[in-house]
Amino acid sequence: METSRRNFLAAAAATVGTAATTPLALAADKFGRDRDWTGDTTVTYPEPAWEVRDKRFTGVQGNATLQRIWHGMGNDRALWCEGPVWMGDWGSLIWSDIPNHRTLRWIEDDGHVSVFQTDSGYSNGHTRDNQGRLIALEHDTRRVRRREYDGTWTVLVDNFEGKKLNAPNDAAVHSDGSIWFTDPGYGILGPYEGHKAAFELPTRVYRIDPSGKTTVAAEGPMRRPNGICFSPDFKRCYVVDTGATDGPQYPANIIVFDVVNNALRGGKVFADFKPGFTDGIRCDTDGNVWCGWGWGGVDTNGVRVHAPSGDLLAFLHTPEVIANLCFGGTKRNRLFMTGSTSIYALYVNAVGAALS
Ligand code: MG
């Protein structure tokens, strides 16, 4: 019964169709450019922002709507949001507004948004370790930090073999307690997201062992290793390459690795994202990979979902580029998306594999 209902809802969503065949009024609603985010204008279910490409996809919650839960105005306006992390015990979502050098906090109870932290080191990505502590990846201060239960911060790593890290970007936590992070260096390309500085190290993926020792997990084939997540069984690791920010001749894809002896081995292309590229990614408990998408024109603004095989399952269209995303809520079935200057949320029929 439940399975057939889900299939029905997925099939219903699949009938939304493509932009080329969709009436303009519906297309505008689908992409959200003219959408009324106050909720005064009703939306006919299933949520029209969904574009299901494969009927195997069961991730559409057929009676849930895409919400823009925050869009700062005036002096409160965010410039570039990334790094969402669900802090369930705080009843909050935390995220970065990188150029404004701050992190923001949305309170689930009443929707209130306030500054969680100024002087954030231009942090980009966030995650939580297996003890639930907040992990921040900082662009300007070029380090990985952990927030302790008393609110103080501990620097986990800021150099490798005596050379400064480039600008750590994103991280994923393994079941063994290790923290794996990417170091593409976007924070030292210019002043907007950090400061301009020379690269002292190659772009890499690193692993911080629970003992505190940091080792190289992968060097290449990614030009700019960025988003990262593990499969639910921790046997595979997905790493985004945003090399295309350096020019169209470079990759915009996800590389999938085997996790072997505390390192990443056998990398091969999992999915290609041109036009545009992906940045932040998360797995659900079925092993599907949920990917922010954008930078390739308005048709690429949103989220893509790929099966563990790499097959494309679905798009979710949004009016802004989605850099990063995470699952949250007490059931981890609510997708939170950092959409450039806004935060979007949507209940889905899927459950996040990781704590955040
Ligand atoms: Mg990133």
Side-chain angles (χ1 to χ4, degrees):
M1 177 67 182
E2 182 58 26
T3 299
S4 64
R5 182 167 177 271
R6 282 207 303 267
N7 289 342
F8 166 75
L9 293 172
T15 63
V16 170
T18 63
T21 57
T22 304
L24 280 178
L26 186 56
D29 190 43
K30 186 171 85 171
F31 295 125
R33 290 191 290 270
D34 301 325
R35 187 157 173 166
D36 171 18
W37 294 103
T38 67
D40 287 343
T41 304
T42 55
V43 173
T44 299
Y45 286 151
E47 166 57 56
W50 275 114
E51 183 181 343
V52 174
R53 290 295 188 96
D54 187 319
K55 290 183 178 177
R56 291 175 296 170
F57 183 62
T58 59
V60 174
Q61 182 65 45
N63 54 354
T65 192
L66 179 66
Q67 296 171 289
R68 184 161 74 181
I69 62 171
W70 183 77
H71 178 65
M73 303 295 285
N75 289 335
D76 194 36
R77 186 170 169 83
L79 289 170
W80 181 240
C81 297
E82 295 210 44
V85 59
W86 177 249
M87 305 297 287
D89 45 346
W90 301 3
S92 299
L93 182 80
I94 301 291
W95 73 92
S96 303
D97 176 14
I98 302 174
N100 284 318
H101 199 188
R102 62 181 182 171
T103 48
L104 298 171
R105 169 175 48 196
W106 173 81
I107 306 292
E108 183 183 29
D109 286 340
D110 60 5
H112 180 69
V113 171
S114 58
V115 175
F116 168 62
Q117 180 184 224
T118 56
D119 197 19
S120 62
Y122 291 77
S123 65
N124 182 328
H126 292 100
T127 191
R128 307 186 73 174
D129 69 10
N130 288 346
Q131 289 74 46
R133 294 170 294 190
L134 180 63
I135 305 294
L137 293 294
E138 299 176 0
H139 270 178
D140 190 53
T141 32
R142 304 168 69 173
R143 62 192 181 185
V144 181
R145 284 203 302 176
R146 179 179 69 212
R147 188 174 174 90
E148 309 295 349
Y149 298 132
D150 62 5
T152 58
W153 289 92
T154 301
V155 176
L156 299 183
V157 60
D158 62 2
N159 73 89
F160 185 75
E161 296 180 340
K163 296 177 180 174
K164 284 187 174 185
L165 297 177
N166 302 324
N169 188 293
D170 211 344
V173 176
H174 192 279
S175 57
D176 68 7
S178 57
I179 300 167
W180 301 55
F181 71 95
T182 58
D183 192 26
Y186 287 109
I188 58 170
L189 295 181
Y192 190 59
E193 292 193 29
H195 65 277
K196 189 166 178 58
F199 282 68
E200 298 179 28
L201 291 165
T203 61
R204 290 168 168 159
V205 181
Y206 294 95
R207 177 185 181 274
I208 308 173
D209 187 78
S211 69
K213 181 178 172 55
T214 298
T215 54
V216 177
E219 184 176 327
M222 296 77 62
R223 179 180 177 86
R224 293 209 184 265
N226 198 320
I228 181 169
C229 75
F230 289 103
S231 60
D233 60 7
F234 297 97
K235 291 180 178 174
R236 303 210 286 179
C237 183
Y238 301 94
V239 182
V240 169
D241 186 357
T242 46
T245 57
D246 296 331
Q249 69 272 35
Y250 297 115
N253 57 27
I254 296 176
I255 304 295
V256 59
F257 292 91
D258 295 321
V259 181
V260 180
N261 297 330
N262 297 333
L264 302 180
R265 298 282 181 256
K268 58 178 189 279
V269 175
F270 172 75
D272 193 278
F273 283 76
K274 289 182 178 178
F277 47 88
T278 184
D279 182 342
I281 55 176
R282 289 286 188 276
C283 270
D284 66 26
T285 52
D286 293 327
N288 298 321
V289 185
W290 296 63
C291 319
W293 195 31
W295 295 276
V298 293
D299 288 359
T300 73
N301 286 346
V303 172
R304 277 168 57 163
V305 188
H306 288 261
S309 63
D311 292 347
L312 174 63
L313 297 177
F315 295 128
L316 178 71
H317 294 286
T318 62
E320 299 177 81
V321 168
I322 301 297
N324 290 176
L325 48 77
C326 73
F327 290 94
T330 54
K331 298 176 181 174
R332 294 208 302 271
N333 66 333
R334 194 175 190 186
L335 187 68
F336 291 97
M337 297 156 270
T338 49
S340 304
T341 65
S342 307
I343 302 298
Y344 297 90
L346 174 63
Y347 283 100
V348 295
N349 187 39
V351 174
L355 180 62
S356 62

